[in-house]
């Protein structure tokens, strides 16, 4: 059965409920070894990962504990899995697991987050845009 599309005023109302963009916020993001202002955390549209989908990420939860501190759930295990994912894709992460663990802690602290969802990401840069990523820089961010 055919259903008529929503009236324009209904579509406009639905569109107005779209949350604000994630790129226009205060805070810090860890990129390639340093904290950068949220609005300055950018990558180029010709990044290899954007075009060929070759990247690795991990989802990590941090929770406020009963004593008021923030704990990152199984941080070492998540970071190890991130490194294993990158290894499968033949991506050599230019940071140690300890450095990425500390980066995740630093992001939580700097942004004063009591609980959050961290998304560390490894991606291939934009030095060359060919099927083979060889010769491109590997990047990391939290």
């Amino acid at each position: 059965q055919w259903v008529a599309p929503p009236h324009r005023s209904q579509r406009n109302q639905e569109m107005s409920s779209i949350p604000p963009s994630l790129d226009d916020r205060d805070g810090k993001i860890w990129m390639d070894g340093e904290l950068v202002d949220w609005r300055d955390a950018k990558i180029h549209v010709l990044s290899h990962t954007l075009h060929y989908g070759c990247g690795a990420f991990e989802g990590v939860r941090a929770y406020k504990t009963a004593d008021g501190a923030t704990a990152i759930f199984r941080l070492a295990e998540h970071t190890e899995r991130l490194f294993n994912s990158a290894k499968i894709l033949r991506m050599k992460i230019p940071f140690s697991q300890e450095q990425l663990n500390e980066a995740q802690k630093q992001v939580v602290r700097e942004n004063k987050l009591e609980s959050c969802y961290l998304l560390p990401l490894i991606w291939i840069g934009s030095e060359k845009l060919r099927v083979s990523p060889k010769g491109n820089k590997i990047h990391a961010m939290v």
Side-chain angles (χ1 to χ4, degrees), residues 67-128:
D67 65 1
T70 299
I72 301 175
F73 182 71
R74 296 192 174 173
L75 177 59
E77 291 89 340
H78 283 293
T79 302
E80 182 178 4
R81 188 166 44 234
L82 176 67
F83 271 73
N84 288 337
S85 296
K87 183 179 179 180
I88 289 167
L89 296 168
R90 298 182 181 159
M91 298 168 70
K92 172 82 172 95
I93 299 174
F95 301 95
S96 68
Q97 288 187 32
E98 293 76 25
Q99 286 173 305
L100 277 180
N101 285 340
E102 186 52 42
Q104 292 171 79
K105 294 175 193 175
Q106 190 177 17
V107 165
V108 170
R109 279 192 308 270
E110 289 290 326
N111 290 295
K112 298 173 179 55
L113 302 170
E114 291 181 342
S115 31
C116 63
Y117 182 71
L118 297 165
L119 198 65
L121 173 72
I122 309 301
W123 80 95
I124 302 170
S126 57
E127 290 77 17
K128 297 184 205 173

